């Protein structure tokens, strides 16, 4: 029997809650989340949609916020990026990714197209299909999403990985929105008293100076000004 959207989502959410509740996650209306010592971890999927072909579709994004880092960054965000009226600086994520980015991203080959990796699932819009979808999602959650959440579990671990080398950037950009990563390298390394802090600052400064995809010279100057303010805050 073909299920309607409400039936699909009720079944999907029930199955996820049964499987993910043991890890402290709550499932409710398109959001799977838990609060940790570092900050909020969440997976957003809106809803599982069945349109006209009796197929159920799922697409999602996993996000993690490391509060200590973002509390600093959020005060500078609007100096660099234009935001809408509904913008909430307290919801800026540190990580934003999906399993496809982790599985398929190849540094040096696809680094410029990291944002194009979408993790999408399509199954029959019946009970069997939704149960299979739930199983698939729980499997990729355990294999890719949860380990990434657990790996980046503090500002010190964030620094450890995004500053593995002073020039680390494209190696980890696929785990983020791409916005603010350069500045977060500085913030995290300063918090963690990284011995390579000066080299990290030098890399970020040169990266901004040499980058040629800013919308204008004024835009580049805004980035340089914010960099200076973060280094001196």
């Amino acid at each position: 029997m073909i299920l309607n959207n409400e039936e699909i989502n009720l079944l999907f959410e029930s199955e996820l809650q049964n499987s993910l509740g043991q890890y402290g996650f709550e499932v409710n209306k398109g959001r799977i989340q838990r609060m940790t010592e570092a900050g909020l971890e969440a997976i957003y999927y809106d809803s599982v949609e069945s349109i006209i072909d009796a197929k159920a579709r799922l697409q999602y994004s996993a996000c993690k916020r490391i509060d200590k880092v973002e509390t600093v960054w959020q005060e500078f965000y609007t100096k660099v990026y234009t935001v809408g009226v509904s913008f909430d600086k307290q919801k800026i994520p540190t990580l934003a990714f999906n399993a496809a980015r982790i599985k398929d991203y190849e540094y040096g080959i696809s680094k410029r197209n990291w944002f194009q990796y979408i993790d999408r699932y399509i199954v029959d819009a019946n009970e069997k299909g939704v149960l299979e979808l739930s199983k698939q999602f729980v499997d990729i959650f355990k294999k890719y999403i949860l380990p990434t959440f657990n790996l980046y579990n503090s500002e010190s671990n964030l620094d450890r990985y995004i500053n593995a080398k002073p020039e680390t950037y494209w190696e980890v950009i696929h785990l983020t929105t791409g916005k603010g990563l350069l500045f977060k390298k500085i913030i995290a390394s300063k918090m963690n008293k990284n011995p390579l802090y000066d080299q990290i600052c030098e890399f970020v400064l040169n990266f901004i100076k040499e980058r040629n995809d800013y919308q204008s010279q004024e835009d580049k100057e805004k980035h340089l000004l914010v960099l200076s303010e973060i280094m001196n805050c």
Side-chain angles (χ1 to χ4, degrees):
M1 181 179 69
I2 302 301
L3 304 179
N4 62 37
N5 284 347
E6 182 179 2
E7 292 169 330
I8 289 170
N9 283 283
L10 285 174
L11 178 57
F12 184 68
E13 289 180 7
S14 175
E15 290 296 309
L16 290 191
Q17 188 62 63
N18 290 337
S19 298
L20 307 186
Q22 62 182 304
Y23 303 105
F25 285 87
E26 295 183 357
V27 183
N28 185 36
K29 295 182 179 179
R31 176 181 294 188
I32 306 163
Q33 66 178 34
R34 72 176 178 182
M35 182 59 72
T36 69
E37 186 176 344
L40 180 68
E41 297 174 343
I43 303 164
Y44 303 98
Y45 63 90
D46 290 331
S47 64
V48 184
E49 294 294 336
S50 174
I51 307 177
I52 59 174
D53 56 0
K55 298 290 184 181
R57 294 165 173 78
L58 171 69
Q59 185 174 313
Y60 71 92
S61 176
C63 298
K64 175 164 184 149
R65 178 180 166 94
I66 299 178
D67 286 334
K68 288 184 179 179
V69 172
E70 299 305 331
T71 298
V72 176
W73 168 235
Q74 69 190 27
E75 299 308 316
F76 297 94
Y77 188 97
T78 55
K79 295 183 179 182
V80 178
Y81 302 111
T82 302
V83 300
V85 293
S86 61
F87 172 73
D88 184 350
K89 65 182 182 181
Q90 295 184 356
K91 293 183 178 179
I92 300 172
T94 308
L95 304 181
F97 64 97
N98 58 48
R101 288 189 186 182
I102 296 175
K103 290 185 297 181
D104 302 331
Y105 178 81
E106 296 182 63
Y107 169 70
I109 297 175
S110 55
K111 67 181 186 180
R112 296 286 182 179
N113 300 315
W114 56 270
F115 53 88
Q116 296 180 356
Y117 288 96
I118 296 172
D119 206 24
R120 180 184 292 119
Y121 299 83
I122 302 176
V123 297
D124 291 334
N126 54 33
E127 182 176 352
K128 181 180 178 180
V130 176
L131 291 176
E132 177 58 29
L133 176 63
S134 303
K135 182 180 183 302
Q136 289 180 37
F137 186 80
V138 170
D139 287 346
I140 64 105
F141 170 87
K142 291 178 179 179
K143 188 172 182 179
Y144 298 105
I145 299 173
L146 185 61
T148 304
F149 281 163
N150 291 341
L151 194 64
Y152 290 81
N153 62 357
S154 65
E155 69 277 8
S156 59
N157 270 354
L158 179 68
D159 174 52
R160 182 174 293 115
Y161 294 112
I162 68 174
N163 288 317
K165 298 178 292 184
E167 63 272 22
T168 297
Y169 181 73
W170 293 114
E171 297 90 336
V172 295
I173 195 169
H174 62 295
L175 297 176
T176 76
T177 65
K179 290 186 175 182
L181 177 58
L182 288 169
F183 302 111
K184 293 175 191 182
K185 284 173 63 69
I186 304 292
I187 295 167
S189 63
K190 181 182 286 190
M191 285 183 171
N192 203 37
K193 296 181 171 57
N194 191 317
L196 299 178
Y197 174 75
D198 289 341
Q199 293 171 250
I200 294 165
C201 290
E202 183 179 7
F203 165 76
V204 173
L205 176 62
N206 290 333
F207 190 101
I208 293 174
K209 285 182 175 179
E210 296 170 6
R211 195 168 186 170
N212 58 13
D213 59 353
Y214 291 106
Q215 294 181 351
S216 64
Q217 181 62 29
E218 180 183 5
D219 190 32
K220 175 179 285 193
E221 290 172 357
K222 283 195 300 185
H223 281 71
L224 289 171
L225 178 60
V226 167
L227 173 61
S228 177
E229 291 178 356
I230 290 175
M231 290 169 60
N232 291 296
C233 71

